[in-house]
Amino acid sequence: MRDPTNMTASRETAAMEVTAAFLVTNDAIVGDWFERAGHTLAFRVCGRAVSMDDAERAIPTSGATVLVIDQDLADGSGLELVRRLRASGVLTPMLIMTAMPVSGINEGAQRAGATGTVVRSGRADDVAWAISAAARHRTIWDERNPALALASPRELEVLSMIAAGYLTSDIAARLVLSSETIKSHVQNVLLKFGAHTRAEAVAIAVRAGVV
C-alpha cells in the first residue's frame, strides 16, 4: 500500500481511531462483512447505499468521515460517483474499492478526485488501515493495481467514440481521418491495454476511468 503523504504512518495509531465510514456497494455479502468486521477493525458503518442515486441522497447527512465506494455498481461505476459527488461539492475523503486488482484504477481514481484505492480481497486489516488513512486525508494507492499503459489523447478519443457506439466509418468522418488511421489507433489501444477486442478495450478503459 503506497502512502505518499506519510510513508511512516503507524497502523497501531490508526487502529486506535474509530472511523465513521459510509459504504456504497450493491453486493450484500460485502456490505454485511463490513457491518460485522467494523467492530473489530476500528471502523463503523454509519450508512449504506446500493446505487449512485441512493448514495447522493444519503451521504450529505450521513456524518461520515470517509466514503468507501465499490467500483462496480449496478447503475454505474465508483469513479463516476466520485466525480458526481466532487462536482456537487462533497469534500469527504473517498476510497475506491475493487474486488480484484484493476489495471489503471489508481490513475483513474486520482483523476476523478478520490483519496485512494484498496483491493478488498486482501487482508482485512489492510482494508481497515486504508479506510482509516483515507479518513485522515492521506492518499492511499493500492500497489496491487497495475498501471495502465498510457494511450494518446487521439487514441482515447477514438475509444470513447467506439464506446458511444460509432462505427469505424463514422469515427473517420467525424475526425476527418481515413478508416485505416482509425483502425491503426484501435490496434494501438488493444496492444497498450492488452485487450483482444474493442469491447474488452472499452471495458478496461471504463473500469480505469479513462473514457
Side-chain angles (χ1 to χ4, degrees):
M1 203 77 68
R2 188 167 77 251
D3 177 5
T5 62
N6 187 344
M7 296 299 289
T8 61
S10 165
R11 294 188 181 216
E12 289 76 15
T13 300
M16 292 188 296
E17 303 172 8
V18 176
T19 302
F22 188 98
L23 179 65
V24 185
T25 180
N26 62 335
D27 188 322
I29 294 175
V30 172
D32 291 344
W33 180 87
F34 268 81
E35 294 276 8
R36 294 193 306 271
H39 298 293
T40 57
L41 294 175
F43 66 82
R44 64 179 179 85
V45 177
C46 65
R48 284 171 62 173
V50 299
S51 69
M52 293 198 297
D53 288 342
D54 287 345
E56 287 184 288
R57 285 192 293 269
I59 284 170
T61 58
S62 67
T65 54
V66 63
L67 310 179
V68 183
I69 303 171
D70 235 340
Q71 169 61 355
D72 294 322
L73 300 174
D75 57 345
S77 72
L79 296 185
E80 183 181 354
L81 177 57
V82 170
R83 285 190 288 267
R84 284 166 56 168
L85 291 171
R86 291 300 189 216
S88 68
V90 176
L91 302 178
T92 309
M94 302 181 196
L95 186 69
I96 289 290
M97 180 172 61
T98 58
M100 300 295 290
V102 174
S103 296
I105 192 72
N106 290 348
E107 295 83 359
Q110 291 180 59
R111 285 191 294 271
T115 311
T117 59
V118 65
V119 178
R120 57 175 161 80
S121 57
R123 291 164 29 123
D125 60 344
D126 283 341
V127 176
W129 182 78
I131 291 172
S132 178
R136 299 196 306 280
H137 298 270
R138 289 180 175 151
T139 50
I140 305 296
W141 309 113
D142 199 315
E143 293 181 333
R144 288 169 290 183
N145 293 315
L148 189 66
L150 293 179
S152 71
R154 177 66 84 184
E155 290 165 352
L156 291 178
E157 184 178 20
V158 169
L159 194 61
S160 295
M161 295 180 75
I162 291 172
Y166 290 101
L167 301 175
T168 297
S169 57
D170 299 326
I171 298 172
R174 286 176 174 268
L175 299 182
V176 195
L177 296 170
S178 71
S179 292
E180 290 305 313
T181 298
I182 299 303
K183 291 177 182 178
S184 177
H185 285 317
V186 172
Q187 286 304 311
N188 288 340
V189 170
L190 294 181
L191 287 172
K192 290 178 178 179
F193 287 6
H196 299 289
T197 65
R198 293 183 176 201
E200 186 180 355
V202 168
I204 290 171
V206 169
R207 284 198 302 270
V210 296
V211 298

